């Protein structure tokens, strides 16, 4: 018997670190880190559908990411880098070379920026 999971994928997002000033007063960027957000399901936009974002722009999205209803607030700012994977990653071990390899291997299904987010009655959605 085959069992299906409503949310078979894993959603991660990138948070920029705090910038700091060096002894000369020059601002130095700090490295950010990847964080796990939740289990999800990604569905590709195979019919070139569009949505209207909060600022009124029409956006042709690549995919819709569905999440459980308990993610009840907008967790990510518009433009946040995200990726959706088939397998679970340890956030502290995620870096650009690992992401590129996982993309090549097909472990990462999407690697984009968040375009908009909607809290729904049955589930929440994010478009990328």
């Amino acid at each position: 018997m085959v069992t299906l999971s409503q949310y078979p994928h894993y959603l991660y997002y990138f948070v920029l670190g705090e910038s700091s000033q060096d002894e000369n007063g020059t601002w130095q960027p700090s490295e950010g880190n990847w964080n796990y957000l939740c289990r999800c399901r990604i569905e590709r936009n195979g019919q070139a559908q569009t949505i209207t974002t909060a600022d009124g722009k029409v956006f042709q999205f690549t995919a819709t990411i569905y999440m459980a209803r308990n993610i009840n607030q907008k967790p990510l700012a518009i433009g946040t880098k995200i990726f959706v994977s088939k397998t679970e990653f340890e956030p502290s071990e995620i870096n650009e070379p690992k992401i590129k390899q996982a993309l090549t291997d097909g472990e990462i299904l999407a690697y984009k920026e968040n375009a908009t987010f909607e809290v729904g009655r049955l589930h929440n959605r994010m478009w990328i």
Side-chain angles (χ1 to χ4, degrees), residues 25-119:
T26 305
W27 286 99
Q28 300 295 323
S30 66
E31 294 184 24
N33 58 332
W34 286 96
N35 296 287
Y36 171 75
L37 180 63
C38 63
R39 296 291 302 256
C40 67
R41 181 180 75 248
I42 187 167
E43 293 183 3
R44 302 267 181 221
N45 179 13
Q47 299 178 346
Q49 296 174 330
T50 60
I51 58 167
T52 304
T53 59
D55 58 0
K57 295 179 182 174
V58 176
F59 174 71
Q60 184 174 350
F61 59 98
T62 303
T64 305
I65 300 170
Y66 295 90
M67 295 161 267
R69 179 70 175 103
N70 63 356
I71 307 295
N72 59 5
Q73 59 186 355
K74 186 176 180 178
L76 306 174
I78 303 301
T80 302
K81 285 196 309 188
I82 63 106
F83 74 83
V84 176
S85 66
K86 292 179 185 177
T87 57
E88 192 169 6
F89 287 88
E90 176 60 41
S92 62
E93 298 174 1
I94 300 171
N95 55 36
E96 288 303 314
K98 186 167 188 161
I99 289 173
K100 287 180 182 177
Q101 184 62 47
L103 280 164
T104 302
D105 295 343
E107 286 182 59
I108 292 182
L109 302 170
Y111 179 52
K112 296 203 77 126
E113 292 183 356
N114 171 24
T116 191
F117 183 87
E118 176 184 83
V119 175

